[in-house]
Amino acid sequence: MSNAGPTFTKDGLARFDAAMTWHAAEGGVPGLVAGISRHGERHIHAAGAPTLGSATIGPDAIFRIASITKPVTAVATMILVEEGRLGLDAPINDLLPELADRPALRTIASEPDDTVPAIRPVTTRDLLTFTGGDGYLAAPPGTYPVQAAIDEAGMAPQAPMPRGEPDAWIERLGALPLLNQPGFRWRYHTSAEILGVLIARAADQSLPAFMRERIFAPLGMADTSFQLPEATLGRMTTCYQVDAESGALDIYDPAAGSAWLGEPVVPNGGGDLLSTVSDLLAFGEMLLGRGKRLGARILSPESVAMMTADQLTSAQKAATGIDREVFGIDGWGFGMHVHTRPTSLGAHAGTYGWDGGLGSSWANDPATGLVGVLLTNLAWSSPTPPAVRDDFWRAAHDACS
């Protein structure tokens, strides 16, 4: 990448480092690595510890990026769309016959067997925009009858994703009804998991192998994978969570003995990737470069433009209702949030990206050329972003002034 414009101010970078250091020293975050990139210049700051009581965290520390996996899965899908192995508006039934002819619940409050025929097949576009009819129910357990059926089938979201072979997972999903008609509204998460299986079948290779060959290797993302290599164990972080009653930090997943040391049975297109700040900056720089970075062409500019534009209709947004508030979205592209208006944190309209519930955040702001990545080892306590995430983005945008 060449320097083609203003980068960062010296004072802004100092404030950025100070804000991140404070969160690791006083703000309750055990460890973090924060990176920003603009017009060829990168700045990475590490603070805290990978595991409490250990040495200082390094800039190449490895984190569980959770739902930032979703935009990566969307890129993998669009590679196959460009190659004609997937049709954007074609039904997914040929490759996923287990999901063909599924009925939809009459209403979300209906019993699992109170269904009506689907008005049309689910398409690849539906999955990319999270409007296929499957998804996370943002409601307390027991709110809707179908939640019990989802739990009994072992289909409730979990991380990592130990759910049997991909074929068996899809078969169990296919035995459940759609939560609503295809194209009706946005629902979180499950569409990305389905895409992971769809990609593997369309590419005739595993999801990890396809992503490694077509995305990670060309972009130099050497530390991004679904499985932690033994050789990199020394750079793995422990993931912590806050105990809801005591407020103390509990271990969600340790560095030594991590669940990510084993090969995932069902690689999860909705979560479960491991990565570093440098790797994710490269991913963001590729999208900001309209599908190309340092000579490596991953996608066409036209595909990137579709992915990073708001794809939801006003009717879909209205039907989505409270879920949009719970997940904080005002627009959605392919596998990622798209801001349709400026934000109080400094982002401009057109900024796109997503967060991960195990402590991560990534976004690109095309208006300023900013790519930002924050990786922490503290899981979010709720869908509301923690203070460290908001302070990161304020400082990142301030450094561009």
Side-chain angles (χ1 to χ4, degrees), residues 211-221 293 296-298:
M211 286 184 171
R212 183 170 57 250
E213 177 184 322
R214 303 301 301 273
I215 301 173
F216 304 150
L219 293 178
M221 298 171 64
R293 179 183 181 272
R297 168 67 67 186
I298 306 299

Side-chain angles (χ1 to χ4, degrees), residues 154-303:
M155 304 306 292
Q158 51 185 301
M161 185 184 175
R163 303 185 187 174
E165 294 297 330
D167 291 350
W169 182 83
I170 280 289
E171 187 174 352
R172 293 202 306 276
L173 179 62
L176 295 169
L178 294 169
L179 300 180
N180 52 256
Q181 292 287 350
F184 177 64
R185 57 162 288 170
W186 181 93
R187 285 195 186 276
Y188 191 53
H189 188 71
T190 310
S191 288
E193 294 182 318
I194 299 170
L195 282 172
V197 183
L198 183 67
I199 290 164
R201 292 189 181 180
D204 197 24
Q205 62 184 139
S206 71
L207 179 66
F210 183 79
M211 286 184 171
R212 183 170 57 250
E213 177 184 322
R214 303 301 301 273
I215 301 173
F216 304 150
L219 293 178
M221 298 171 64
D223 290 317
T224 304
S225 67
F226 286 99
Q227 181 182 7
L228 182 70
E230 289 280 357
T232 62
L233 180 58
R235 294 192 281 126
M236 183 66 167
T237 55
T238 292
C239 184
Y240 296 91
Q241 59 187 352
V242 176
D243 183 270
E245 294 184 2
S246 69
L249 291 183
D250 292 333
I251 293 178
Y252 174 83
D253 183 67
S258 169
W260 275 261
L261 281 165
E263 184 175 356
V265 181
V266 181
N268 185 355
D272 290 2
L273 274 176
L274 303 170
S275 196
T276 63
V277 163
S278 290
D279 278 12
L280 288 178
L281 285 175
F283 178 78
E285 289 163 357
M286 177 274 294
L287 288 174
L288 202 61
R290 304 176 68 202
K292 183 178 181 181
R293 179 183 181 272
L294 298 179
R297 168 67 67 186
I298 306 299
L299 286 176
S300 69
E302 293 77 16
S303 289

Side-chain angles (χ1 to χ4, degrees), residues 1-9 37-41 367-370 400:
M1 296 176 68
S2 61
N3 288 307
T7 53
F8 304 109
T9 67
S37 169
R38 192 183 189 207
H39 302 311
E41 179 181 335
T368 57
L370 173 69
C400 296

